[in-house]
Amino acid sequence: MTAIDAKEHQDKICEKHGKYVSQHIQLGKVCDFWSRCSECEAGKKREEEAAWKRQQREEWIVRLVKDAQIPVRFQGKTFSDYIATNESQRRALSAATDCCERFTDHLAAGRCMVFSGRPGTGKTMLGCCIAQSIARSGHAALYITVTELVRWLRSSWGGAAGDSESTVLRKLADLALLVVDEVGVQFGSDAELAQLT
């Protein structure tokens, strides 16, 4: 280990912070320099830490959006991509945007939303837009069809290497938002209805 020699001092001027005392630092014969303004160095460290935190948050958001399992055709879609051609669709769009804008209030109150209508009216797209928006705001969300949900629950019954039923239910309960699509498309057996409930 090389000793640090910082015996010499010198008054210097920082353009941003004014006068400061700089130390002459020598690490053996290789490294020889004068210390910089401590306030500038502290600011640089704060900026680096903030940049690191932003990067960590961005990576976390990317993971949340990926974990939401949005179908490929709806990935990256936003409410501005939704074309409301009638009053019912405009009301649905308004309810969807309100859900996102006031999500923490709706979550705290335990509110849910149901979109119903004929095929092709945009129910899936609105659900996916909501899930992506919520995931981008830092909340765990999941898009899943009833068929996939029932299949996931049933796969937990066999005692195989996958998740147990209680683990599946805990994963679902831990979500801030669960978007269940294609309700009514399944077979409608008593077991499916019980699982969905």
Side-chain angles (χ1 to χ4, degrees):
M1 183 171 185
T2 307
I4 300 174
D5 182 9
K7 295 177 183 173
E8 297 180 58
H9 297 83
Q10 195 176 82
D11 288 340
K12 291 195 174 183
I13 303 291
C14 170
E15 292 179 9
K16 189 173 183 181
H17 300 105
K19 187 176 176 182
Y20 72 97
V21 176
S22 177
Q23 290 184 320
H24 179 241
I25 299 174
Q26 186 166 355
L27 299 169
K29 295 182 181 184
V30 180
C31 191
D32 184 4
F33 63 95
W34 287 90
S35 65
R36 297 184 186 100
C37 169
S38 60
E39 289 184 57
C40 285
E41 290 297 306
K44 182 180 175 184
K45 185 176 180 181
R46 284 191 300 272
E47 287 173 14
E48 288 171 353
E49 288 173 354
W52 182 82
K53 286 179 182 177
R54 280 192 304 274
Q55 180 183 353
Q56 293 297 313
R57 178 165 173 78
E58 287 170 13
E59 289 173 5
W60 178 56
I61 296 297
V62 166
R63 190 174 67 247
L64 284 174
V65 171
K66 181 181 177 198
D67 290 348
Q69 298 182 18
I70 305 301
V72 173
R73 67 183 264 208
F74 296 112
Q75 289 176 5
K77 297 288 185 187
T78 65
F79 294 121
S80 61
D81 296 310
Y82 182 78
I83 309 295
T85 59
N86 59 50
E87 187 56 33
S88 293
Q89 288 177 325
R90 284 188 280 280
R91 281 196 311 270
L93 177 59
S94 176
T97 55
D98 175 75
C99 174
C100 295
E101 290 167 359
R102 299 188 318 123
F103 182 71
T104 52
D105 296 337
H106 295 306
L107 181 62
R111 294 186 190 107
C112 65
M113 181 182 301
V114 176
F115 291 120
S116 64
R118 294 185 321 268
T121 55
K123 301 179 299 294
T124 299
M125 183 173 181
L126 286 177
C128 290
C129 287
I130 292 170
Q132 288 181 101
S133 175
I134 297 309
R136 285 191 186 106
S137 71
H139 298 280
L142 175 67
Y143 167 88
I144 193 167
T145 65
V146 170
T147 304
E148 292 167 333
L149 180 58
V150 169
R151 190 177 300 129
W152 188 18
L153 282 167
R154 286 185 178 170
S155 71
S156 69
W157 294 348
D163 294 331
S164 67
E165 183 175 11
S166 61
T167 301
V168 171
L169 294 174
R170 188 171 49 252
K171 285 180 178 180
L172 294 170
D174 287 345
L175 295 167
L177 176 72
L178 176 63
V179 176
V180 181
D181 197 8
E182 298 180 6
V183 177
V185 175
Q186 68 278 10
F187 296 112
S189 69
D190 290 341
E192 281 181 335
L193 292 173
Q195 291 159 0
L196 185 56
T197 301

